[in-house]
Amino acid sequence: MDCIFCKIISNEIPSVKVYEDDRVFAFLDINPLNEGHLLVIPKAHAATIHEITEADFMAVAAATHKLSAAVKKALNPEGINLMQLNGEVANQVVPHLHVHIVPRWSGDGLTICKWKLVAGDMEKIQAIGEQIKEAIE
Ligand code: 5GP
Ligand code: ZN
């Protein structure tokens, strides 16, 4: 498969690996937003949250939890952003699901995950809540 991250898992493309288990692989991002920026990916190719199995997603979540603790212990950041983008419209660039672990320090100048709060229309919020509840399988 012509997927950069599948090639990283198979070692066709080198990476700085920090963790691997039967379902998950984790390595340092080559364009780090901050020191210690990690990517956690499933070994089985899945482009987005809609393709990955629940079991693989749970394995990615468990590894993300373990690696966040390791980043805290190793680098002592004041905070951590976890990010996971799905689809080009959501700014996903590499179509192999990945969770970004981004350590944060005050004054690091990053503007990620900083959005302006604008109050929503409560009727609309309630209607959308109903729509989503009905769609849960
Ligand atoms: P996305 O926008 O899809 O969530 O982010 C993709 C991430 O993959 C980017 O942060 C980018 O720096 C990283 N990336 C892309 N190609 C490579 C690569 O070949 N090696 C590593 N280590 N990271 C990569
Ligand atoms: Zn892949």
Side-chain angles (χ1 to χ4, degrees), residues 1 3 5-6 45 96:
M1 177 171 300
C3 166
F5 286 180
C6 283
H45 179 87
H96 180 130

Side-chain angles (χ1 to χ4, degrees), residues 85-92:
L85 318 180
N86 298 282
E88 273 180 49
V89 73
N91 298 325
Q92 183 181 13

Side-chain angles (χ1 to χ4, degrees), residues 52-109:
I52 192 169
T53 63
E54 185 177 335
D56 273 347
F57 192 67
M58 285 174 72
V60 167
T64 299
H65 185 255
K66 187 191 282 289
L67 291 166
S68 295
V71 165
K72 177 73 182 157
K73 192 171 160 191
L75 305 175
N76 196 27
E78 295 163 55
I80 288 179
N81 283 123
L82 300 179
M83 296 178 298
Q84 198 276 304
L85 318 180
N86 298 282
E88 273 180 49
V89 73
N91 298 325
Q92 183 181 13
V93 174
V94 177
H96 180 130
L97 184 140
H98 47 282
V99 174
H100 295 260
I101 299 180
V102 183
R104 298 297 307 268
W105 289 270
S106 50
D108 63 18

Side-chain angles (χ1 to χ4, degrees), residues 111-132:
T111 54
I112 49 168
C113 299
K114 208 172 199 174
W115 51 79
K116 215 173 115 194
L117 295 182
V118 179
D121 173 338
M122 270 326 291
E123 268 183 33
K124 213 173 186 174
I125 290 170
Q126 249 154 16
I128 290 169
E130 289 306 319
Q131 209 181 327
I132 293 171

Side-chain angles (χ1 to χ4, degrees), residues 4-20:
I4 299 176
F5 286 180
C6 283
K7 286 181 178 159
I8 284 178
I9 293 164
S10 64
N11 215 15
E12 278 173 73
I13 295 177
S15 71
V16 179
K17 182 177 87 173
V18 293
Y19 177 79
E20 182 176 11

